[in-house]
Amino acid sequence: MEQSIKETFREKANKGLGVNPLDAKISKSYLSVAFITLLIGGILGLVQGLQRAGLLELPAWLNYYQVLTAHGILLILVFTATFTIGYLYAVLSHTLGGLLPKVRKMAWVGLGLMLLGVVLVVITILMNEASVLYTFYPPLAASPIFYIGLVFVVLGIWSCSFGAFINYNHWRKNHRGQVTPLYAFFAMGVFILWFFGSIGVTIEVLTLIPWSLGWKETVNVMVARTLFWSFGHTLVNIWYIVAISAWYVAIPKIIGGKVFSDKLARVVVILLVILNIPGGFHHQIIDPGISESVKFLHVFMSTSIAFPSLMTAFAIFAMFERAGRKRGGKGLLGWFTKLPWGDVRFLAPMIAMIAFIPGGAGGIVNTSNQMNQVIHNTMWVVGHFHITVGVTVVLTFFGITYWLVPYLSKRKLTPQMNRLGVIQTIIWTVGMIFMSGSQHLVGLLGDPRRTSFTTYGDHEIALSWVPYEYVMAFGGTLLLLGVIIQVYAVFNMMFFAPKGETEFPLGEAEESEGPTPLWTERWSIWIILMLMVVAMAYVVPIVDFIVNGGPGSPPIRTW
């Protein structure tokens, strides 16, 4: 009898996360860390904005650059990574029939490594031993403990990445001749980029540890910066793939539509994986020592991402139109009014998609050699970053939580919580319009980024920036309010919402679409192509930096 009960439980556990509390616990733990980090990072962001506007005087033990470094590391790296892992591990569990026991162990090990790394990083920042901004490349030098902490964070991500690969390979062996579920296909693309995209920054950090310890007198700045941006550029597009996974698969189900094209979605993932890592030099356009031809190549690779993005825009809005007409929409734009604007699971990602239009346009400005000279070291770049990450990515993450968290917790999304989510989405959008909009405008007036509050001796040009700084602070206040509401919503849905069953939304392809070809599953080919493109973009310039790199730089501390 006991053996029969164990077998029954094992059979249920293998069916997917909906009946498997072991997998749900992993995802809920990662999401909890993510939103606690979001709350801390959001508070630091407001403090930073108020201080820069001259509306807040920081205590003697805390300075602007400590706040900026912590805000960047916690939100750009920790929040996005832990959310991505919690979300995509739920995807893998649900679509691939559950996580393997060893994969669960790897996920817990990954979380432990990441938390250890974060603790080490935050301690050094609080001790004012690591005010190097979130870019953490030389010549500014942090405490070696800071870099060691970053190594643990990356090791945690790698543990989860390899866990995903193991689970995927296990599913493939048991489902030969079948196409991977589309959601899991997106997850594979993300974890492949996480691993390969982070190799460069790992090499950079490992070279900085002996340098910061004093075992090496100098370090090659150009090599370090290049290795960092090979990761920094890729990281942005990792978030983008995570966001569009929900656009392609979950949103169609939520609005009563169909996936426009399963094959097109997979081609988009493949293109993003192959084209993603090259392009880092467009962040270094003003750097000397890089040939114009190499910069042009990376600019071309950066803008090539627009091709799969345009494919996505076409597919998603075609899906919207079909769903809207199915709901009774008439005329040229009648379908638009029939979409479920009152459903936060749709509203938040929809605003995120719309924001990607000006965000992408701003990215073209940043990538252009001539225009980048004007805006590179200004608040324009900060505004661009916040509209792309803070709206396109983060609002999509928020929308996902309103179905994912109740699903994981076996609870319901109540009408009241949905209404609160709509209010939060509006507050967040308005706050970002004020903050990001003013950052774009004042950047065009020359207001520098990465600097604390200063009026440059009350110079009239610098004083003209101050009203924009006030608007940024107001927008930042609204954003913190949005963060507080969102964090409350997540933990309410996780622990206090009414018990019940919530659907994991998996969109289905159009009936007229033929079978997805198995060649899309050839990850070995796509990875080889990706590495070839990476080699084409990086081998020659990095060798040149090493051979003609000059004397290098000693550790520099400016605080």
Side-chain angles (χ1 to χ4, degrees):
M1 182 63 147
E2 183 179 352
Q3 182 66 24
S4 175
I5 293 174
K6 287 182 179 179
E7 288 177 357
T8 302
F9 175 78
R10 190 178 297 113
E11 289 172 2
K12 286 184 177 181
N14 287 334
K15 289 181 180 178
L17 186 142
V19 288
N20 190 344
L22 298 177
D23 293 355
K25 188 174 182 181
I26 292 171
S27 289
K28 288 192 292 185
S29 297
Y30 272 94
L31 293 174
S32 297
V33 172
F35 282 95
I36 291 171
T37 302
L38 176 67
L39 179 60
I40 298 171
I43 293 171
L44 292 174
L46 179 59
V47 168
Q48 180 186 335
L50 294 175
Q51 198 275 341
R52 185 180 172 90
L55 300 173
L56 175 69
E57 188 69 32
L58 293 176
W61 53 270
L62 186 66
N63 65 63
Y64 176 84
Y65 300 101
Q66 286 175 278
V67 175
L68 175 56
T69 303
H71 172 73
I73 294 288
L74 290 176
L75 293 189
I76 293 172
L77 187 57
V78 181
F79 165 67
T80 57
T82 50
F83 180 90
T84 295
I85 294 168
Y87 162 53
L88 292 183
Y89 261 58
V91 165
L92 291 173
S93 176
H94 184 78
T95 59
L96 300 186
L99 301 177
L100 298 172
K102 60 182 174 183
V103 173
R104 294 192 196 107
K105 291 178 182 178
M106 295 175 75
W108 287 118
V109 169
L111 182 60
L113 289 170
M114 293 177 70
L115 290 176
L116 173 60
V118 171
V119 168
L120 295 177
V121 166
V122 170
I123 287 175
T124 55
I125 295 173
L126 290 176
M127 294 173 62
N128 201 21
E129 295 293 332
S131 297
V132 293
L133 314 187
Y134 77 92
T135 44
F136 55 83
Y137 46 61
L140 292 181
S143 162
I145 297 175
F146 174 82
Y147 299 118
I148 293 170
L150 291 174
V151 170
F152 281 115
V153 172
V154 174
L155 288 175
I157 293 171
W158 283 3
S159 179
C160 295
S161 298
F162 281 106
F165 301 153
I166 291 170
N167 223 87
Y168 168 78
N169 287 330
H170 177 267
W171 186 91
R172 292 286 297 156
K173 288 178 181 178
N174 290 281
H175 297 80
R176 296 189 184 279
Q178 296 184 30
V179 177
T180 307
L182 181 57
Y183 232 150
F185 193 86
F186 271 99
M188 279 297 294
V190 170
F191 283 114
I192 286 171
L193 277 176
W194 257 123
F195 174 67
F196 286 100
S198 60
I199 290 176
V201 75
T202 304
I203 296 171
E204 181 220 356
V205 170
L206 292 176
T207 61
L208 296 184
I209 292 173
W211 176 67
S212 61
L213 286 167
W215 298 348
K216 287 176 57 180
E217 290 186 6
T218 63
V219 70
N220 190 314
V221 174
M222 286 305 299
V223 170
R225 286 170 64 90
T226 299
L227 291 173
F228 174 86
W229 279 119
S230 71
F231 163 76
H233 173 72
T234 305
L235 185 60
V236 175
N237 288 301
I238 287 172
W239 305 330
Y240 173 57
I241 300 176
V242 174
I244 68 171
S245 69
W247 301 356
Y248 270 106
V249 187
I251 298 300
K253 184 70 173 180
I254 289 170
I255 68 174
K258 298 280 188 178
V259 176
F260 177 77
S261 171
D262 186 275
K263 291 189 287 291
L264 181 144
R266 292 171 197 267
V267 170
V268 166
V269 175
I270 292 167
L271 288 175
L272 289 171
V273 168
I274 294 172
L275 301 175
N276 224 317
I277 297 176
F281 281 133
H282 94 257
H283 294 269
Q284 299 173 255
I285 283 179
I286 67 167
D287 282 9
I290 307 172
S291 69
E292 292 298 321
S293 60
V294 168
K295 289 180 181 179
F296 177 80
L297 172 64
H298 280 248
V299 167
F300 174 78
M301 295 303 299
S302 298
T303 54
S304 69
I305 299 297
F307 181 62
S309 296
L310 290 172
M311 293 170 63
T312 294
F314 172 80
I316 297 301
F317 279 89
M319 177 268 293
F320 286 158
E321 181 179 1
R322 290 179 178 181
R325 295 196 183 282
K326 184 179 177 181
R327 286 168 166 260
K330 305 293 183 182
L332 182 62
L333 296 176
W335 59 270
F336 194 73
T337 63
K338 295 296 182 178
L339 297 174
W341 295 100
D343 188 338
V344 67
R345 301 172 302 165
F346 165 76
L347 177 65
M350 183 62 172
I351 294 176
M353 297 177 209
I354 295 171
F356 194 57
I357 299 171
I364 294 174
V365 172
N366 297 350
T367 309
S368 170
N369 183 58
Q370 291 83 357
M371 288 188 285
N372 186 274
Q373 310 298 318
V374 178
I375 54 85
H376 183 83
N377 271 328
T378 73
M379 290 297 292
W380 167 283
V381 176
V382 182
H384 165 74
F385 197 77
H386 279 93
I387 198 172
T388 51
V389 178
V391 184
T392 299
V393 172
V394 172
L395 259 189
T396 301
F397 287 5
F398 289 173
I400 290 170
T401 62
Y402 286 97
W403 57 261
L404 178 61
V405 174
Y407 171 79
L408 293 168
S409 306
K410 291 187 176 298
R411 296 179 185 274
K412 293 182 178 180
L413 174 64
T414 62
Q416 295 80 8
M417 185 56 66
N418 179 75
R419 192 178 307 114
L420 183 65
V422 170
I423 293 170
Q424 189 276 342
T425 300
I426 295 170
I427 290 173
W428 186 269
T429 303
V430 172
M432 198 61 77
I433 288 172
F434 278 109
M435 190 180 79
S436 178
S438 60
Q439 288 169 338
H440 277 89
L441 292 173
V442 79
L444 294 176
L445 298 177
D447 192 0
R449 60 182 172 132
R450 294 173 167 171
T451 59
S452 60
F453 177 74
T454 179
T455 60
Y456 294 94
D458 287 344
H459 191 282
E460 60 179 335
I461 293 179
L463 290 176
S464 72
W465 303 332
V466 175
Y468 294 92
E469 304 279 2
Y470 291 164
V471 176
M472 287 182 219
F474 174 70
T477 303
L478 290 179
L479 290 173
L480 180 59
L481 176 60
V483 166
I484 293 170
I485 295 173
Q486 182 64 35
V487 172
Y488 165 78
V490 167
F491 287 104
N492 180 277
M493 291 185 292
M494 193 175 291
F495 298 109
F496 303 108
K499 291 285 188 179
E501 294 296 324
T502 296
E503 181 185 29
F504 193 107
L506 292 175
E508 300 175 357
E510 295 283 354
E511 289 82 357
S512 59
E513 185 178 12
T516 301
L518 286 174
W519 57 259
T520 58
E521 301 287 330
R522 303 292 187 184
W523 280 112
S524 58
I525 296 175
W526 314 136
I527 291 172
I528 290 171
L529 289 174
M530 175 192 70
L531 295 176
M532 290 172 63
V533 174
V534 170
M536 174 190 70
Y538 281 107
V539 169
V540 171
I542 288 180
V543 169
D544 180 55
F545 296 156
I546 294 172
V547 174
N548 303 305
S553 173
I556 294 176
R557 174 171 172 154
T558 59
W559 66 93

